[in-house]
Amino acid sequence: MTPTPPARSRRQTLLADGALLTVAIGWGFNFIVIKSAVDTMAPMLYLMLRHVVAVVLLVAVMPRSVTQSKPRDWLFGALLGTLLFIAFTAQTIGLQYTTPGKSGFITGLSVAMVPFLYWAVARRSPGWFQALGAIVATVGLGFLSLR
């Protein structure tokens, strides 16, 4: 028998919901900021400035993450960083040719695709609820993002 998780207070639930709402607003607003930025500067310059600021903040807040990293950490970081670089570059350059809403829709699809990618890679069904959830999320993204 598994122990029941402790009950959450109404305050904790409201804080969690508020934090999720704040992240969603920030995520959506980010597409408008990027669109404005790439209208005034080259996409690669924007990405460089954005990531230089991120590195400086990371090192300032978590200096041990740099000083105590092992060579294997740097290798995997370089691999994942390369993939992230490709994704950010494609998204940022793409924003020059489309609206922030459409870009957000395409980016949001990356979450909705997970059950179907799991199905393709693992050759096992993720389950009907997960597939239905992905479909509902895609339709919802469409209503929120597209005209």
Side-chain angles (χ1 to χ4, degrees), residues 38-147:
V38 297
D39 285 345
T40 60
M41 69 177 75
M44 298 309 287
L45 175 62
Y46 167 77
L47 285 173
M48 182 196 71
L49 293 173
R50 176 181 176 174
H51 288 90
V52 164
V53 169
V55 166
V56 168
L57 289 174
L58 176 70
V59 171
V61 173
M62 301 177 65
R64 289 188 204 159
S65 66
V66 176
T67 59
Q68 296 180 353
S69 296
K70 297 174 179 61
R72 183 173 184 237
D73 299 330
W74 288 99
L75 178 65
F76 285 129
L79 174 65
L80 293 174
T82 300
L83 294 173
L84 188 61
F85 169 76
I86 292 167
F88 269 132
T89 301
Q91 181 184 47
T92 305
I93 291 173
L95 260 168
Q96 291 181 305
Y97 305 103
T98 191
T99 65
K102 288 179 183 174
S103 180
F105 175 75
I106 292 168
T107 303
L109 280 180
S110 65
V111 175
M113 285 189 294
V114 169
F116 303 109
L117 291 173
Y118 173 80
W119 202 338
V121 172
R123 305 221 190 277
R124 290 185 4 202
S125 171
W128 289 109
F129 285 118
Q130 288 77 6
L132 181 62
I135 292 167
V136 169
T138 302
V139 171
L141 277 169
F143 280 126
L144 290 172
S145 305
L146 305 175
R147 291 183 180 161

